[in-house]
Amino acid sequence: MVFKTSIISLVISFLIFVPVISYQQNTGSVEVTIRNENGDRVTPDLLSVKVYQDFSSVPFKEITSLIDNPLVVDSLPLGHRYKFEVYMNSLYGDVAFVDLQKSQDKVEIVIKNPGGIRLSVFYGDGETPLTNADVWIKSFDGKSWGYSGTDESGQTLRMWLYPTMKDTDYYYAEIALGPDLKYVQTPVKLLPNVAQELKVVTQWPTVVDKLITIEVYNTTNTKVAKSDGEFIAQLYDGKKNKLADSLVSDKGLAGFAKLKVGTYAIHIKSKSSDGQLTTLASKKITISGPENVFKIYLHNPELNSEYLNCNCVAFRLDDIQDYFLNGAQIDIINMFAQKQSSLTLGVVANVFGDDPNLVPLVKNMLTDKSLDLEIANHSWTHRIMTALTKDQQADDFAKSNKKIHDVLGVTPTTFIPPENLYNDDTIAILKQNNFTQISSHTSTSKSPPFQKSSLYYFPASTQTSILDRQEANWKVQSVGKVLDGINESLFNYGYAVVMMHPHEFSTYSDGIYQNKVNQTQVQQLGLLIDKVKSQGLKIVTIDKISSFDKPAPQKQPATDTPKEPLTCNCVAFRMDNIQDFYLNDVQNAAIGRFSEKNAQLTISVIGQFFGNDPKAVDLIKEKIQSKTTLRIANRGWEYVDHTAYDKEKQAASIKKTNDKIFQILQVKSVIFAPPLDSFNKETIEAANQNNVRYFSASIVRDPPPYADSLKHVPSTALLASLMDDDPFYAGTIPEKALTKIKSNISQNGYAVISLQSQDFAAKDGKLFKNEVDSSKLQLLDTILDDLKSSGISIVALDEIPSILENKSLVIPDTAKDNAGLWSKGQMSDSDFTKELKYLVEQKILQIPNSQISGEQKIPPWVKNIAGWWAEDKIGNADFVKGIQYLMEHGIIRI
């Protein structure tokens, strides 16, 4: 009995155990490698694979989100024949077969190379180019694979896409002049390895021959009449250009004729007796031909548009991460802080949190209540969402938000998808994780109507630069082009988001981006911010776009009168990196030119490399002895980023350089200009320790306000950018330079121009020669002359703070009158000295601890200055300089 039971147990155990062994031994995997005709493995993000078993027409497996190439397809039962179909851009690529008899096998599939297509788009006459249109190339299933705008010839960029290899496969082109004005060209076929041209003739007429009638309503059913007042209808395009006016008749009608197809804004304005216009109502209309009557309501704005309009702009900086081009990241953040403007940062979480320069800056900005900085989730490792499964996306969001919260103490509610790509899984996970905004780009996803929602779609519609995928670098867009994009987005969607990356604000050389800031582009960003503000637009973070209708808190009582910003109407020049032997002829020529022009110049000396070159040193000594135009600043012992040092080493660098300057030139420098304009809190402490009084970095890295005891006089522009033939400005190069300097003075109260010897050196290929480029030196001459003729004072860098302090006081007209009398000999030196004493006592002239004496003879040229001041030929700053001279020579004793 026991024997039989054991046999039965053994049989049962065998029956249970055998199927497991059989299953494990009868499945296998296939490694699928997908290459193009050049032999290169294809990027997996755009691929999908269908696997068929034997002769079935239904896929055994379907892999829509490839992560790797090669792809391993596992759990395939052995003893079957498998067909692997590869799809690229949703289009059929090629096929391979495997008779799977062993546990592992391999197959390689070669798909065709891309084909290129460029569209030339025309109006219905087939001759007039359709300019400024958006063109998307989409596969038959509606997925977008290419985007370009059309230029003045109606042409797009050439887009390289996977070819159509099956008769049933095709692309189509969607051409849009606005959200509600689209034309579709289908089918579009592509051949491999061929650059094709495609002419597209839309059905739109060049000019709509119907009269466009505007009906203006006072109530929901009654048009305005003569008794309601005088009204005018104004027509604007998407760039805010006014195109036409039309008086509203006593029957409430206005009209416009011969308009192009497009989207326009109509503004109805009331006209007062003195001719002043006040906007009462606005409406956006789309003109395509069929509809020619549009109604606009003066007192029911909800009837004019079902969409919201925040009249606001959000700037979005993507790819925030440790160390990578962090100089550009830091300068961009500081620029927005300087301009008191909001900014959204897209953080790549896995590579963020350890950068000792970037992370503390972001933390400080988040705690500064005067600034509005938003942290957005830009994924864990910048992998494209559409290449991940839903579970992988969920894991990505969870890890990213946790890391960002751990580092910065905030949880993002805005998601910026890598490469602006996402799918329905992404949206579902965002909603589950309490995200309230997603910001992609209109080139990859269209902006839906701006309506109240639990998840807002706020794609960028413009950007500061465009990625050239063939050259693998970023092509910078002009300020005007970006502004056009902002205005068009406001017009079309009610808001605008501007996309930025650190790359375009970094220098590009030898085929890669260097971690060196392109200061010109940072300054252009500052100009863009100013222009956005000058249009009356609000700069907000992305998460604030939807809350635009909430009342903004008042920062100060309405009764407070804002203080007028101080300005000295002056400019200082700071010549950096003075050193022995290197370009010494050029260096001397530039210093000499400032002296010849009687223009103040501050030079910053690198301590270790100064003092042994007679040619360089002797000229500087000569200029110092003349006591007219030259100041000496400390540039540190070595030209290295001082933030890499601790405070003691930074202090030693400043001290050694100051000692060297005194040893060689017998001058005590009180100005420190940190190398690379880079500094930290320890730099400030080290400067204070060495009795430095004036600190001069760049205004991008050192924006006001200043909390320490040093007087900060940062550079506001580079001479190299002033001497460029900048396409963003009109006029000659000197005229453009003067405009930029005036803009600096307007923004900051003064201008400080940073220059160096290389700005005036001739070049041999890429190398500078110790030979003056006379054209550049002549350009400097013209700039200096233009400044003086424009009434802008050229002062020493360390004079600017005291000039601003004196400018803050109102000098009475009687003082100028007395200065005029004295200059003409109609007032004695003694009486004029009493006048000066009175000004000092009344603190109108701030000259601390002054004692006035009229015992010494006052030089004639001081009288000339007084006369010019009385006649407003010079400003208060230059007159104060004359008084300072009297102090230095004992006429006014301190």
Side-chain angles (χ1 to χ4, degrees):
M1 190 70 175
V2 173
F3 174 76
K4 286 183 180 179
T5 303
S6 299
I7 292 293
I8 293 170
S9 300
L10 183 61
V11 170
I12 292 172
S13 299
F14 180 76
L15 290 174
I16 294 172
F17 185 67
V18 167
V20 176
I21 296 176
S22 173
Y23 175 77
Q24 290 176 338
Q25 288 181 341
N26 287 284
T27 62
S29 62
V30 176
E31 182 183 274
V32 182
T33 303
I34 304 161
R35 301 185 186 276
N36 60 27
E37 290 175 289
N38 301 331
D40 299 323
R41 283 184 297 140
V42 178
T43 303
D45 303 332
L46 308 177
L47 296 169
S48 61
V49 176
K50 293 180 181 178
V51 184
Y52 296 85
Q53 189 183 70
D54 297 326
F55 300 102
S56 174
S57 59
V58 178
F60 180 78
K61 284 196 173 192
E62 190 168 357
I63 303 112
T64 56
S65 302
L66 267 67
I67 297 173
D68 298 308
N69 181 14
L71 161 74
V72 176
V73 183
D74 56 14
S75 302
L76 299 175
L78 299 179
H80 294 274
R81 185 172 181 265
Y82 294 93
K83 179 173 69 171
F84 296 86
E85 282 186 352
V86 174
Y87 292 81
M88 180 80 164
N89 291 11
S90 302
L91 307 179
Y92 178 82
D94 209 339
V95 66
F97 298 88
V98 174
D99 188 3
L100 190 60
Q101 300 297 330
K102 53 186 179 181
S103 61
Q104 292 182 338
D105 210 337
K106 293 183 179 181
V107 68
E108 185 167 289
I109 302 175
V110 178
I111 64 175
K112 296 294 184 182
N113 287 337
I117 187 165
R118 180 173 64 180
L119 281 69
S120 296
V121 187
F122 297 86
Y123 283 95
D125 62 2
E127 296 179 358
T128 307
L130 190 66
T131 62
N132 297 319
D134 293 311
V135 179
W136 288 267
I137 303 295
K138 300 185 176 183
S139 51
F140 62 93
D141 56 357
K143 293 181 180 177
S144 179
W145 301 104
Y147 167 83
S148 174
T150 58
D151 60 16
E152 66 269 14
S153 301
Q155 286 190 334
T156 66
L157 298 172
R158 190 175 300 282
M159 293 170 271
W160 291 88
L161 306 171
Y162 187 72
T164 49
M165 303 306 299
K166 272 188 175 181
D167 290 339
T168 53
D169 283 346
Y170 63 91
Y171 292 97
Y172 65 90
E174 187 176 275
I175 299 149
L177 286 174
D180 305 314
L181 200 56
K182 296 171 187 168
Y183 175 82
V184 173
Q185 175 81 14
T186 189
V188 175
K189 296 281 190 175
L190 264 72
L191 297 172
N193 300 297
V194 175
Q196 298 172 224
E197 301 287 338
L198 177 62
K199 181 177 180 178
V200 178
V201 179
T202 66
Q203 86 276 22
W204 295 318
T206 53
V207 173
V208 176
D209 55 10
K210 294 180 181 179
L211 176 69
I212 304 302
T213 301
I214 308 299
E215 296 180 345
V216 184
Y217 284 79
N218 196 18
T219 67
T220 55
N221 54 13
T222 306
K223 298 188 188 74
V224 295
K226 189 174 183 179
S227 59
D228 294 315
E230 188 174 355
F231 304 96
I232 188 169
Q234 294 184 335
L235 183 75
Y236 286 77
D237 66 13
K239 296 179 182 177
K240 296 188 177 180
N241 299 313
K242 189 174 78 167
L243 304 178
D245 289 331
S246 176
L247 288 173
V248 179
S249 72
D250 56 5
K251 295 183 179 179
L253 302 176
F256 300 95
K258 296 184 177 180
L259 297 179
K260 286 187 175 182
V261 169
T263 304
Y264 299 85
I266 297 289
H267 300 292
I268 305 300
K269 300 186 177 183
S270 65
K271 192 173 182 180
S272 62
S273 57
D274 60 357
Q276 295 294 316
L277 296 177
T278 303
T279 302
L280 300 179
S282 300
K283 183 181 181 72
K284 189 170 70 174
I285 63 173
T286 298
I287 297 173
S288 57
E291 187 177 2
N292 68 321
V293 178
F294 299 90
K295 297 179 180 180
I296 187 165
Y297 299 87
L298 296 186
H299 305 297
N300 300 84
E302 70 279 3
L303 300 177
N304 295 327
S305 176
E306 59 182 303
Y307 307 138
L308 302 174
N309 188 333
C310 78
N311 201 40
C312 61
V313 180
F315 285 84
R316 171 188 123 194
L317 179 59
D318 296 355
D319 298 344
I320 295 294
Q321 56 192 290
D322 291 342
Y323 305 109
F324 176 71
L325 304 181
N326 61 350
Q329 295 184 60
I330 289 167
D331 279 8
I332 294 166
I333 295 169
N334 280 328
M335 175 58 78
F336 278 87
Q338 176 194 338
K339 300 290 185 181
Q340 291 288 295
S341 297
S342 302
L343 176 64
T344 295
L345 301 180
V347 173
V348 182
N350 188 41
V351 285
F352 178 81
D354 298 322
D355 190 323
N357 295 317
L358 176 63
V359 175
L361 174 66
V362 175
K363 287 182 177 179
N364 289 338
M365 295 296 183
L366 286 170
T367 57
D368 187 347
K369 300 302 181 184
S370 66
L371 300 174
D372 194 4
L373 190 72
E374 179 195 15
I375 306 301
N377 183 325
H378 196 30
S379 82
W380 179 244
T381 57
H382 207 269
R383 292 187 57 186
I384 298 174
M385 291 293 113
T386 53
L388 304 178
T389 65
K390 187 174 182 180
D391 288 343
Q392 289 170 331
Q393 290 192 45
D395 181 61
D396 189 289
F397 284 119
K399 289 191 296 186
S400 303
N401 267 12
K402 183 180 185 305
K403 175 73 175 291
I404 291 170
H405 187 272
D406 289 347
V407 175
L408 300 176
V410 297
T411 300
T413 58
T414 297
F415 178 62
I416 301 172
E419 294 196 25
N420 298 299
L421 297 173
Y422 63 94
N423 55 22
D424 291 340
D425 289 342
T426 315
I427 298 303
I429 297 166
L430 288 175
K431 291 180 176 179
Q432 291 169 9
N433 287 275
N434 300 316
F435 280 81
T436 50
Q437 293 82 215
I438 180 170
S439 180
S440 58
H441 195 283
T442 53
S443 65
T444 58
S445 63
K446 296 173 191 170
S447 180
F450 182 15
Q451 298 172 314
K452 289 296 181 183
S453 171
S454 61
L455 179 67
Y456 290 93
Y457 296 73
F458 291 138
S461 58
T462 187
Q463 54 278 323
T464 50
S465 66
I466 297 175
L467 177 62
D468 186 324
R469 294 189 180 273
Q470 288 184 307
E471 295 185 14
N473 64 14
W474 293 82
K475 304 297 184 185
V476 175
Q477 295 206 103
S478 69
V479 169
K481 185 74 173 175
V482 180
L483 278 173
D484 284 347
I486 288 172
N487 287 326
E488 288 176 6
S489 182
L490 289 167
F491 184 72
N492 289 325
Y493 308 117
Y495 63 86
V497 176
V498 182
M499 182 175 69
M500 306 180 293
H501 295 84
H503 306 73
E504 64 242 42
F505 301 94
S506 304
T507 57
Y508 183 77
S509 61
D510 300 325
I512 59 172
Y513 283 93
Q514 311 287 339
N515 195 9
K516 183 179 179 182
V517 181
N518 184 332
Q519 293 291 351
T520 298
Q521 290 310 123
V522 175
Q523 293 293 333
Q524 291 302 315
L525 175 61
L527 176 63
L528 174 62
I529 295 169
D530 290 339
K531 285 187 176 291
V532 168
K533 287 184 173 181
S534 71
Q535 292 186 186
L537 302 174
K538 294 169 288 186
I539 298 179
V540 300
T541 51
I542 292 175
D543 64 345
K544 296 294 193 302
I545 295 176
S546 59
S547 59
F548 71 94
D549 52 353
K550 295 177 183 176
Q554 294 293 324
K555 291 189 175 181
Q556 59 183 21
T559 55
D560 287 357
T561 303
K563 293 181 179 178
E564 184 178 344
L566 298 179
T567 175
C568 75
N569 195 36
C570 63
V571 58
F573 288 85
R574 191 188 83 200
M575 188 171 180
D576 290 328
N577 307 329
I578 299 298
Q579 54 191 296
D580 291 341
F581 304 111
Y582 177 69
L583 301 181
N584 53 6
D585 288 337
V586 180
Q587 182 174 284
N588 282 359
I591 294 173
R593 192 53 55 93
F594 276 89
S595 179
E596 292 167 18
K597 293 286 182 181
N598 198 31
Q600 294 281 353
L601 176 66
T602 299
I603 61 173
S604 67
V605 171
I606 302 174
Q608 185 177 7
F609 307 111
F610 179 75
N612 297 316
D613 180 358
K615 184 180 288 187
V617 172
D618 290 349
L619 178 75
I620 293 171
K621 285 182 177 178
E622 175 193 328
K623 302 305 176 187
I624 290 173
Q625 289 167 3
S626 67
K627 293 185 178 179
T628 53
T629 61
L630 199 64
R631 295 286 208 279
I632 310 299
N634 183 323
R635 191 66 162 172
W637 186 249
E638 297 176 296
Y639 190 65
V640 296
D641 184 345
H642 275 41
T643 61
Y645 298 155
D646 58 24
K647 187 178 79 171
E648 287 69 27
K649 195 166 183 180
Q650 292 194 54
S653 171
I654 297 171
K655 184 178 187 305
K656 284 173 69 178
T657 304
N658 268 357
D659 291 346
K660 184 76 167 289
I661 289 171
F662 187 77
Q663 175 193 342
I664 303 299
L665 302 176
Q666 299 299 300
V667 170
K668 290 183 178 180
S669 176
V670 292
I671 307 168
F672 181 56
L676 304 171
D677 293 329
S678 181
F679 68 96
N680 54 20
K681 184 177 75 171
E682 285 73 22
T683 316
I684 300 295
E685 293 172 357
N688 268 316
Q689 187 176 316
N690 281 281
N691 299 315
V692 168
R693 293 177 58 197
Y694 303 94
F695 190 83
S696 185
S698 74
I699 201 160
V700 173
R701 290 181 177 267
D702 189 23
Y706 307 112
D708 55 76
S709 60
L710 296 178
K711 296 183 184 295
H712 290 247
V713 197
S715 65
T716 60
L718 301 174
L719 183 66
S721 70
L722 296 183
M723 296 199 298
D724 281 344
D725 192 5
D726 197 327
F728 303 137
Y729 294 83
T732 64
I733 293 177
E735 288 170 345
K736 295 176 181 181
L738 186 62
T739 299
K740 291 179 183 179
I741 291 172
K742 287 180 177 178
S743 175
N744 276 196
I745 294 172
S746 175
Q747 292 175 31
N748 309 303
Y750 61 88
V752 174
I753 311 303
S754 172
L755 60 142
Q756 42 191 327
S757 304
Q758 294 95 308
D759 295 335
F760 309 100
K763 294 180 77 173
D764 182 7
K766 293 185 178 181
L767 299 176
F768 291 104
K769 298 191 295 183
N770 192 16
E771 181 180 312
V772 175
D773 183 331
S774 58
S775 64
K776 292 184 177 179
L777 207 57
Q778 180 60 46
L779 200 52
L780 174 65
D781 283 347
T782 307
I783 292 172
L784 295 176
D785 291 341
D786 287 352
L787 286 169
K788 290 185 176 181
S789 63
S790 299
I792 298 174
S793 303
I794 301 174
V795 301
L797 183 146
D798 56 320
E799 292 177 329
I800 289 176
S802 62
I803 294 171
L804 288 173
E805 289 166 3
N806 281 292
K807 282 285 290 187
S808 66
L809 298 170
V810 178
I811 298 179
D813 291 338
T814 54
K816 283 193 175 184
D817 293 340
N818 289 333
L821 293 172
W822 178 61
S823 69
K824 297 172 184 176
Q826 296 173 7
M827 177 182 281
S828 68
D829 290 354
S830 175
D831 287 340
F832 186 65
T833 303
K834 290 177 184 177
E835 175 70 22
L836 294 179
K837 184 175 181 179
Y838 172 79
L839 295 177
V840 170
E841 289 171 349
Q842 298 299 314
K843 297 184 179 180
I844 295 169
L845 288 179
Q846 293 185 340
I847 305 172
N849 304 319
S850 299
Q851 292 182 348
I852 308 299
S853 170
E855 297 173 359
Q856 299 186 37
K857 184 173 178 60
I858 297 177
W861 64 264
V862 178
K863 288 193 174 185
N864 293 337
I865 288 178
W868 296 334
W869 179 54
E871 297 170 7
D872 289 325
K873 291 181 179 178
I874 62 170
N876 292 347
D878 286 327
F879 179 66
V880 169
K881 284 166 63 178
I883 302 305
Q884 288 173 336
Y885 177 88
L886 298 179
M887 292 165 51
E888 291 170 0
H889 288 77
I891 299 168
I892 296 176
R893 293 179 181 172
I894 297 179

